[in-house]
Amino acid sequence: MSGTRISKTKVGKAGKALTSPLSSSQERTDALAIVNYWREIHAEALQRALGDIEGLGSVGSDVLVAGRIKKLSTIVDKLERPSTPSDLQTMYDIAGCRLVVPDMRALDRVYDGLSALAAFDLAKTSRHDYISHPRSSGYRGKHVILRYDDLECGHRLFVEVQLRTELQHAWATAVEMHDVAVKTRLKFNEIDNPAGRFFRKAALLIAQIEQRGEVDTRAIRSLSEGRLELSAAVGAVDALEAACDAVCLLSDDLSGCASDYYLVDFVAEEQTLELTRLDSMDALATYFEAEGADNDGGRDLVLTRGASYERLAKLYPNYFGDISNFVGLVKRHLDAFA
């Protein structure tokens, strides 16, 4: 279907059909084909974005860069959220890049470089400054939206670039790992619980360290309105450490370069991680096939490009079982959660 141009109207209808309980089996099958077409053509926009980013003088060897096509399960989850309704044809993060920088100074430097790109979309980007305006969960970072109007597919497509410091990234991946290990949904703002309040405090702790260089325990404690979260902090750390210790890496072919695609296949129940290096010709087909074979939803599949194995481990530490920097930071400042 990739050689056929499908209108955005049909893409939007396919997104609705895929998530509607009233859709027939055939309607779901037809809708899935269109949704996967939409994901597939975003690979061209992702390729362009990675090329633009890699050409920036502000993106040096201290910046980790990777790109991915949004998982089908995450697209469906986003379409089904009642609090934040979304349409598939206007979803700006089907293709996404992740940039992890050492600190706030480097983040500002890279952001300035991204803002000078011809593809930089100021109007959409201005809504996504989660450092000046953190999300209710505590998430911080800056997201840049790149727009490409001259693609071979004939559509105007967008790429979301997530820009985070190492500590902001450590917090975000700790949230993802906690969600998998404890079956929470903190990443999707279901945060009115002890774990959610703990991670909000941890996010403020990181912001204080990065922006002021010192910790204000009184301000951190005030986030819970008198409720003590020390037990939640200890419980979260214990769960994260147990999850890290259990990860088993299955792959044996790990020699690759930054231009390779990797299929990340993480099975939470078994705590196994398998990496498969793919060439660009069959990467998307293999990715979609693996998703289709995941009948019980037990596999966490990510197709990513633009990172060697070593950088992949730093960009996705939740899969590799290494968030020691976040755990160590919390342990050093446990008094802030008391």
Side-chain angles (χ1 to χ4, degrees), residues 135-139 171 175 179 184-200 227 229:
R135 288 177 174 165
S136 58
S137 63
Y139 175 84
W171 179 93
V175 167
D179 277 349
T184 50
R185 285 174 57 86
L186 305 175
K187 182 179 178 181
F188 301 112
N189 287 320
E190 294 184 11
I191 54 174
D192 189 18
N193 52 65
R197 291 190 288 273
F198 157 69
F199 276 104
R200 282 188 66 210
R227 286 173 289 194
E229 305 296 347

Side-chain angles (χ1 to χ4, degrees), residues 9 30 32 38 77 124 148-149 160 168 179 185 292 318 323:
T9 299
D30 294 343
L32 178 60
W38 192 239
D77 186 280
K124 292 182 174 61
Y148 294 95
D149 300 315
E160 181 187 66
Q168 290 165 355
D179 277 349
R185 285 174 57 86
N318 47 322
I323 51 168

Side-chain angles (χ1 to χ4, degrees), residues 27-47:
E27 286 172 333
R28 290 180 185 276
T29 298
D30 294 343
L32 178 60
I34 294 175
V35 171
N36 279 340
Y37 153 84
W38 192 239
R39 297 165 73 208
E40 184 176 352
I41 65 172
H42 273 80
E44 183 186 358
L46 177 60
Q47 193 91 350

Side-chain angles (χ1 to χ4, degrees), residues 7-70:
S7 70
K8 285 192 173 183
T9 299
K10 286 187 176 180
V11 170
K13 289 180 178 178
K16 289 180 170 61
L18 193 64
T19 56
S20 173
L22 302 178
S23 297
S24 67
S25 176
Q26 186 59 52
E27 286 172 333
R28 290 180 185 276
T29 298
D30 294 343
L32 178 60
I34 294 175
V35 171
N36 279 340
Y37 153 84
W38 192 239
R39 297 165 73 208
E40 184 176 352
I41 65 172
H42 273 80
E44 183 186 358
L46 177 60
Q47 193 91 350
R48 286 278 298 276
L50 286 168
D52 285 347
I53 291 166
E54 290 162 1
L56 291 174
S58 58
V59 177
S61 59
D62 61 339
V63 180
L64 300 174
V65 181
R68 61 99 185 103
I69 299 296
K70 200 174 190 69

Side-chain angles (χ1 to χ4, degrees), residues 198-241:
F198 157 69
F199 276 104
R200 282 188 66 210
K201 289 182 174 182
L204 180 57
L205 169 68
I206 288 171
Q208 290 176 349
I209 292 172
E210 290 192 318
Q211 296 173 19
R212 300 169 49 184
E214 57 184 23
V215 176
D216 182 351
T217 56
R218 182 177 297 180
I220 294 173
R221 291 171 182 168
S222 69
L223 288 180
S224 57
E225 299 177 348
R227 286 173 289 194
L228 304 181
E229 305 296 347
L230 181 58
S231 60
V234 173
V237 167
D238 288 346
L240 291 170
E241 289 185 318

Side-chain angles (χ1 to χ4, degrees), residues 131-295:
I131 293 177
S132 299
H133 305 285
R135 288 177 174 165
S136 58
S137 63
Y139 175 84
R140 286 168 170 81
K142 283 190 175 183
H143 293 187
V144 169
I145 309 299
L146 302 180
R147 184 187 72 214
Y148 294 95
D149 300 315
D150 56 344
L151 300 171
E152 291 183 10
C153 65
H155 284 291
R156 170 185 291 176
L157 300 179
F158 298 87
V159 178
E160 181 187 66
V161 181
Q162 295 179 346
L163 185 55
R164 304 170 179 167
T165 66
E166 291 178 357
L167 286 178
Q168 290 165 355
H169 184 55
W171 179 93
T173 51
V175 167
E176 291 184 8
M177 184 175 284
H178 187 278
D179 277 349
V180 172
V182 189
K183 303 297 187 291
T184 50
R185 285 174 57 86
L186 305 175
K187 182 179 178 181
F188 301 112
N189 287 320
E190 294 184 11
I191 54 174
D192 189 18
N193 52 65
R197 291 190 288 273
F198 157 69
F199 276 104
R200 282 188 66 210
K201 289 182 174 182
L204 180 57
L205 169 68
I206 288 171
Q208 290 176 349
I209 292 172
E210 290 192 318
Q211 296 173 19
R212 300 169 49 184
E214 57 184 23
V215 176
D216 182 351
T217 56
R218 182 177 297 180
I220 294 173
R221 291 171 182 168
S222 69
L223 288 180
S224 57
E225 299 177 348
R227 286 173 289 194
L228 304 181
E229 305 296 347
L230 181 58
S231 60
V234 173
V237 167
D238 288 346
L240 291 170
E241 289 185 318
C244 288
D245 291 342
V247 173
C248 176
L249 182 64
L250 299 179
S251 302
D252 54 6
D253 180 16
L254 300 178
S255 58
C257 64
S259 62
D260 288 328
Y261 282 89
Y262 275 98
L263 179 64
V264 181
D265 187 351
F266 180 66
V267 181
E269 290 296 325
E270 300 174 4
Q271 286 295 285
T272 57
L273 172 67
E274 184 170 6
L275 298 178
T276 304
R277 186 158 56 93
L278 304 169
D279 63 47
S280 59
M281 296 299 292
D282 60 4
L284 282 166
T286 302
Y287 180 35
F288 294 164
E289 182 180 350
E291 285 184 327
D294 182 25
N295 296 320

